Amino acid sequence: MLSLQNLSDRIEIQDLLTRYCHAIDQRNWDALDDIFTPDAHIDYTATGGIAGQLTEIKPFLESAIPLFKSIQHFVTNPLLEIDGDRATARSLLLNPCTMARENGDHTLFIGAWYVDELMRQPDGWRISSRRQEKSFFHNQ
């Protein structure tokens, strides 16, 4: 049986993963400061992005995301392992991205996994490491 602390941790981590999606889709780069640890390592190379610290990732996202007319991140089915103040998560990602083209809008679908390491901070859980694993690109 799960303890109340474990249940609370799971809900907080799932909320954190959801807040990440909203921050990216709303292009709210400053919200990422409350999602990642300051020294977090983030690796988007599996889907054509960069790897680096949050201070490098935020400007990358700010320049790359406007290439898309609209985006939606669906992160679901997190497999969580919690050990005290540390946790790991492997979550499914489905990311439709719409681009404006001369002959009309074009939507690309990205399927991947987020593989995360998380740490409990004084103000809540934060992602300390995020790596993508590519599953598919559809309609490139």
Side-chain angles (χ1 to χ4, degrees):
M1 182 182 310
L2 296 175
S3 69
L4 288 178
Q5 182 63 57
N6 193 279
L7 288 170
S8 176
D9 289 340
R10 289 175 179 280
I11 292 168
E12 289 177 35
I13 290 169
Q14 289 177 355
D15 180 62
L16 182 70
L17 300 176
T18 300
R19 285 189 291 121
Y20 168 83
C21 295
H22 284 265
I24 298 295
D25 293 346
Q26 294 171 358
R27 303 161 197 243
N28 183 358
W29 317 125
D30 289 335
L32 298 176
D33 295 337
D34 295 327
I35 294 166
F36 291 96
T37 61
D39 62 345
H41 184 264
I42 304 160
D43 184 347
Y44 294 136
T45 58
T47 57
I50 68 166
Q53 303 296 313
L54 186 57
T55 55
E56 300 164 293
I57 295 298
K58 286 169 63 175
F60 163 75
L61 292 170
E62 193 170 359
S63 67
I65 297 297
L67 299 174
F68 301 102
K69 183 176 175 181
S70 66
I71 55 173
Q72 288 184 317
H73 283 72
F74 298 92
V75 175
T76 186
N77 296 356
L79 181 60
L80 303 174
E81 297 291 332
I82 301 169
D83 185 12
D85 291 338
R86 296 189 174 273
T88 60
R90 180 179 167 89
S91 307
L92 302 177
L93 164 68
L94 178 61
N95 182 202
C97 308
T98 301
M99 298 169 277
R101 293 201 174 156
E102 288 180 21
N103 59 346
D105 289 350
H106 176 81
T107 303
L108 159 71
F109 294 88
I110 300 170
W113 290 270
Y114 284 133
V115 180
D116 298 327
E117 294 177 16
L118 303 103
M119 295 176 58
R120 186 191 319 269
Q121 304 291 294
D123 56 349
W125 285 95
R126 300 288 180 266
I127 300 169
S128 59
S129 174
R130 167 161 278 185
R131 169 176 61 84
Q132 287 180 332
E133 292 179 355
K134 179 182 162 189
S135 176
F136 66 86
F137 282 111
H138 175 71
N139 208 22
Q140 233 172 324

